Amino acid sequence: MKKVNIPRVVIAATQSSSGKTTVVTGILRALKNKGLNVQPYKVGPDYIDPSYHGMAAGRKGHNLDTWLVDESMINDLFVQESKEADIAIIEGVMGLYDGGKNGVSSTAQLAKKLNAPVILVINVQSMGDSAAAIALGFKLYDSDVNLSGVILNKLGSPTHKALIEEAMKKINVPVYGAIFRDDSVHMPERHLGLTPAGENNAREVIEKISEKIAQEVYLDEIIELAKTAPAIEVEEFEAENIKKDITIGIAQDKAFSFYYPASLAQLENLGAKLKFFSPLEDETIPDDVDALIFGGGFPEVFAQELMQNTSMIKSIRKANERKMPIYAECGGFMYLMQGIYDFEQRFYEMVGIIPAKAQMNKKLQTVGYVKAKILQDNILGKQNDEIKGHEFHFSTQIDTQDESFPWAFEFTKMRNNMKYKAGYAKDNIVGSYLHLHFLGSKQNAKYFVEQIRAYKKSLEMEEN
């Protein structure tokens, strides 16, 4: 075991929509502008917030989720990705104590695991001394959480600020920022939450937010608080130097952007070289790939462009005809279907190698952690293997009433134990609404890589 000192602080909130992502993004950029090397993290499975974090900090944002990745690996992941950072800023999920069933992957759980001080963002709009009562309640709820202070968000006036700061003094809770309400400072949103950073004028938005945060959040005091976090103990190990003997094509562009960097890194650790391509803009998949991965994203937003890129669609179909291993999650799953009905019921033809269609709905269909039991041997694993994952989608999989439809998984919702069949698995293809993390599913990652090697070897034997 070795001890590593990494200054760190968790920025939590009382509930969702308290403004913590805006606050954290501004803090990240403001600290970077001060010359610090800042490593951002997001608690939970969210893909979009880390895209803003990464752009603000100039380092890839990483997720810390004790459902997707075993709790025993969290400290190692944190230390690995914080190398050469001066400070780590960890944005919480929902409210401080909210998470999956029994509080799994809550901000509080991660703060305790990392032994990090917590600053609570409170939306104090239309509130006075009650803000102090809220802070005190959060502080007393779990004494093992090091709730070290608060950031007051959406203040109405200097008088409002003075009133709440006086109330915080009464309960000995330090104030680390006092942010005045400004409706012109906000993050762009759409149906899954924030719009991904790559799709808008995010850099301009981030700079504007950071200017405000630099003036109204007490950055030097946050830096000093972060330094109080004790050393973290982690295992000492040497990374294996594995020859990269296979190449995986990763679909990545505005339509497909939902990937955990540490998940893809796990495939690299097992000997895969990653080659990124764009189903929106490239004419074909890369020539030298041995497998394809289509991650989540927003194919429904770019359905017209995806449908019109017929040369890309033809190249994917040819890869499928050659039985190339193909794995797809959520948006990628939708893209491989016969087509997508958008929110206005317009139909767009897609790749068509999965015999189903995707229907967009006005309301969110499901969100939460799931267990996925493999129903038949496939490129991810053996029958009855279980994978931990997450679902979050507005669309539904339709036109699969055929009794012989090759379902990929039986999902079990962790909140209510509801079970249902999901996805598609046949020959070389697996697709579903499941988002998994290969670092937390190491056996499945290894199995997938082995299937790719077997495919590549079979092609080489045919050529000889």
Side-chain angles (χ1 to χ4, degrees):
M1 299 289 285
K2 66 175 180 178
K3 291 186 176 182
V4 183
N5 285 301
I6 301 171
R8 58 197 180 276
V9 65
V10 173
I11 309 295
T14 57
Q15 64 195 73
S16 295
S17 301
S18 296
K20 65 180 178 297
T21 300
T22 302
V23 171
V24 168
T25 301
I27 289 173
L28 290 168
R29 189 64 181 181
L31 290 174
K32 185 177 188 300
N33 288 342
K34 284 172 71 73
L36 294 178
N37 197 349
V38 191
Q39 177 57 53
Y41 294 93
K42 171 69 180 181
V43 178
D46 183 272
Y47 291 99
I48 299 176
D49 290 358
S51 71
Y52 285 91
H53 294 170
M55 188 174 287
R59 289 173 65 116
K60 286 182 180 178
H62 286 271
N63 295 72
L64 299 171
D65 188 300
T66 56
W67 175 255
L68 296 178
V69 176
D70 191 87
E71 186 177 351
S72 64
M73 291 188 281
I74 291 295
N75 284 9
D76 291 327
L77 172 61
F78 178 79
V79 170
Q80 173 67 28
E81 302 305 336
S82 297
K83 284 181 179 177
E84 300 177 2
D86 299 310
I87 187 171
I89 303 294
I90 306 149
E91 181 189 342
V93 60
M94 301 183 288
L96 174 58
Y97 296 106
D98 303 324
K101 193 174 183 179
N102 298 321
V104 65
S105 202
S106 68
T107 305
Q109 182 195 35
L110 265 296
K112 289 188 287 188
K113 177 67 180 173
L114 294 173
N115 207 349
V118 177
I119 297 174
L120 188 70
V121 176
I122 304 177
N123 181 348
V124 298
Q125 187 171 352
S126 303
M127 191 183 297
D129 283 28
S130 294
I134 290 171
L136 184 59
F138 271 77
K139 187 174 179 67
L140 296 177
Y141 184 78
D142 185 345
S143 59
D144 291 332
V145 174
N146 181 13
L147 203 159
S148 301
V150 297
I151 291 175
L152 310 178
N153 195 25
K154 297 192 176 182
L155 287 161
S157 66
T159 302
H160 190 197
K161 172 187 173 184
L163 173 70
I164 299 180
E165 284 184 333
E166 183 62 32
M168 292 297 172
K169 284 182 182 177
K170 292 178 184 177
I171 59 170
N172 296 315
V173 171
V175 174
Y176 284 90
I179 304 170
F180 290 92
R181 188 162 62 247
D182 184 346
D183 294 335
S184 70
V185 177
H186 62 86
M187 310 284 265
E189 297 185 357
R190 67 162 171 243
H191 58 276
L192 285 183
L194 295 183
T195 305
E199 286 186 44
N200 54 65
N201 60 337
R203 294 187 188 281
E204 296 175 25
V205 173
I206 288 169
E207 287 298 344
K208 185 175 182 180
I209 292 170
S210 70
E211 289 173 9
K212 182 175 177 62
I213 292 298
Q215 294 173 1
E216 299 178 348
V217 171
Y218 315 144
L219 296 175
D220 290 339
E221 293 180 23
I222 290 176
I223 292 168
E224 291 306 310
L225 175 64
K227 290 177 180 177
T228 67
I232 296 178
E233 279 196 350
V234 293
E235 295 283 348
E236 290 188 80
F237 64 90
E238 291 186 9
E240 294 183 58
N241 187 16
I242 297 176
K243 180 183 176 182
K244 289 185 168 45
D245 57 347
I246 58 171
T247 302
I248 302 176
I250 310 291
Q252 187 172 61
D253 54 25
K254 292 179 181 179
F256 308 101
S257 59
F258 291 0
Y259 296 101
Y260 300 122
S263 179
L264 295 181
Q266 180 62 21
L267 297 176
E268 292 181 298
N269 293 338
L270 293 169
K273 182 169 68 174
L274 307 183
K275 182 165 283 191
F276 296 90
F277 69 99
S278 169
L280 279 171
E281 298 178 3
D282 294 336
E283 291 185 0
T284 66
I285 63 173
D287 291 334
D288 57 348
V289 296
D290 308 303
L292 296 172
I293 293 179
F294 295 88
F298 295 94
E300 67 276 14
V301 175
F302 302 96
Q304 182 77 30
E305 296 96 314
L306 289 168
M307 181 178 70
Q308 290 175 341
N309 192 352
T310 55
S311 62
M312 173 58 71
I313 287 174
K314 287 177 181 176
S315 74
I316 296 169
R317 289 173 178 170
K318 286 181 180 178
N320 179 54
E321 289 169 4
R322 298 195 303 269
K323 300 301 181 184
M324 179 184 289
I326 300 175
Y327 173 60
E329 293 187 347
C330 204
F333 176 46
M334 295 163 62
Y335 176 56
L336 298 186
M337 291 185 193
Q338 294 163 337
I340 297 172
Y341 289 97
D342 71 5
F343 289 106
E344 283 71 44
Q345 300 305 304
R346 293 172 299 210
F347 184 73
Y348 299 90
E349 289 187 9
M350 294 289 124
V351 177
I353 62 175
I354 292 177
K357 297 183 181 73
Q359 169 73 65
M360 296 305 300
N361 302 280
K362 299 293 185 182
K363 294 182 178 180
L364 181 65
Q365 295 302 294
T366 188
V367 59
Y369 294 121
V370 297
K371 277 185 183 177
K373 183 174 75 172
I374 294 177
L375 294 179
Q376 54 182 310
D377 292 359
N378 60 48
I379 58 172
L380 285 185
K382 293 288 189 179
Q383 185 177 12
N384 294 324
D385 284 355
E386 282 193 342
I387 303 173
K388 290 182 177 181
H390 183 263
E391 276 193 283
F392 186 22
H393 53 94
F394 276 72
S395 70
T396 46
Q397 175 183 347
I398 62 172
D399 292 351
T400 54
Q401 293 86 2
D402 189 334
E403 291 184 4
S404 64
F405 187 83
W407 297 101
F409 304 109
E410 179 186 73
F411 283 179
T412 302
K413 284 182 177 289
M414 299 319 297
R415 280 197 176 275
N416 58 15
N417 291 319
M418 177 182 172
K419 297 180 186 294
Y420 50 101
K421 292 180 179 178
Y424 172 89
K426 187 175 182 181
D427 300 327
N428 56 304
I429 303 175
V430 171
S432 76
Y433 284 113
L434 183 75
H435 294 285
L436 63 78
H437 197 305
F438 280 120
L439 181 61
S441 305
K442 288 185 175 181
Q443 287 302 115
N444 303 101
K446 184 178 180 181
Y447 192 89
F448 182 44
V449 167
E450 288 172 350
Q451 297 304 301
I452 299 169
R453 288 197 176 103
Y455 165 76
K456 184 177 182 179
K457 186 176 181 180
S458 69
L459 288 187
E460 291 171 347
M461 291 176 65
E462 286 179 14
E463 292 172 359
N464 295 328

